[in-house]
Amino acid sequence: MDAVVFDLDGVLVDSETVWDEVRRAFAARHGGTWLPTSTRDMQGMSTPEWASYLVEAVGVRLNPDEAARGVVAEMAARYEAGPPVLPGAVEVVLEVASRYPVAIASSSPPVLIRSFLEATDLADVVPVALSSEEAGAGKPAPDVYLLAASKLGVHPSRSAAVEDSTNGLRAALAAGMTVYAVPNPHFPPDPGVLAEVTVLQALSDLPSALASTRPDE
């Protein structure tokens, strides 16, 4: 393995429920109707994609730019006291970074990725931190993972990805990476997708899982 790429929301930050709460409340205030599939549909989407979804599918009575600005502003306000970093996440990133180049490939907007890096003092440890906004299509498209590998100077097939959601796992698989899942307890991934990856009980299991990977895998 030549590099390890981490998802952010649900892997390093306990933010999937925060995103859901903020978008649901925002939609309700602006005339939208939440659909049974809306939460899962938007997981992994880039900001332009989920903003368009809020308008076109949920019925928010704004244009996509206004929806994006409003939701991101509320998320940034939630992060002002510090992002909800998952226990042990920083220690795992530091341990993995001591052995491999690491990156973050997230669907969060750049402002929230920067907030995480600044709050955890990981900015110098994680040389590549990308939002899917910068890569084109959001997850489950592989774009952000392919761009992360390119910026690290490694081949995707020689890289590992760490994900928690169905769309994120699909994105990493489509990029041709070795994929480790830390299933989100609030929004469990599709069992069919989990069958295609290595499932970890906790993020803290990642360093030993990487160490057990044979050189030819």
Side-chain angles (χ1 to χ4, degrees):
M1 205 62 63
D2 293 334
V4 179
V5 185
F6 292 88
D7 176 40
L8 182 63
D9 296 298
V11 172
L12 303 178
V13 179
D14 189 13
S15 54
E16 293 284 18
T17 54
V18 181
W19 274 107
D20 194 50
E21 290 169 7
V22 168
R23 287 194 284 224
R24 280 176 183 264
F26 186 88
R29 288 198 305 274
H30 294 282
T33 301
W34 204 256
L35 306 175
T37 61
S38 290
T39 296
R40 292 186 183 277
D41 287 347
M42 283 188 282
Q43 285 179 339
M45 285 186 179
S46 67
T47 300
E49 289 169 339
W50 60 250
S52 294
Y53 181 97
L54 285 176
V55 174
E56 296 166 10
V58 177
V60 166
R61 295 170 188 162
L62 299 169
N63 65 47
D65 286 344
E66 292 169 332
R69 286 197 300 271
V71 170
V72 171
E74 290 190 31
M75 286 296 297
R78 293 281 194 105
Y79 274 39
E80 281 182 359
V85 180
L86 282 162
V90 173
E91 291 76 9
V92 169
V93 173
L94 289 170
E95 184 174 353
V96 172
S98 70
R99 296 165 49 201
Y100 308 93
V102 297
I104 287 174
S106 174
S107 297
S108 275
V111 63
L112 299 187
I113 298 173
R114 287 195 299 271
S115 174
F116 168 77
L117 292 173
E118 291 167 2
T120 56
D121 293 323
L122 288 175
D124 293 332
V125 177
V126 183
V128 174
L130 296 171
S131 167
S132 54
E133 292 179 30
E134 305 166 82
K139 303 169 185 177
D143 300 40
V144 70
Y145 277 111
L146 294 174
L147 183 59
S150 175
K151 287 188 173 292
L152 286 174
V154 300
H155 196 277
S157 66
R158 296 284 304 174
S159 305
V162 190
E163 272 285 356
D164 70 304
S165 69
T166 297
N167 284 343
L169 293 167
R170 286 176 173 155
L173 285 167
M177 294 182 166
T178 298
V179 185
Y180 295 90
V182 185
N184 191 303
H186 307 293
F187 310 106
D190 182 277
V193 179
L194 287 179
E196 300 181 52
V197 304
T198 299
V199 179
L200 306 177
Q201 294 302 308
L203 184 64
S204 57
D205 295 333
L206 178 65
S208 60
L210 291 169
S212 68
T213 303
R214 296 196 308 270
D216 61 342
E217 287 186 325

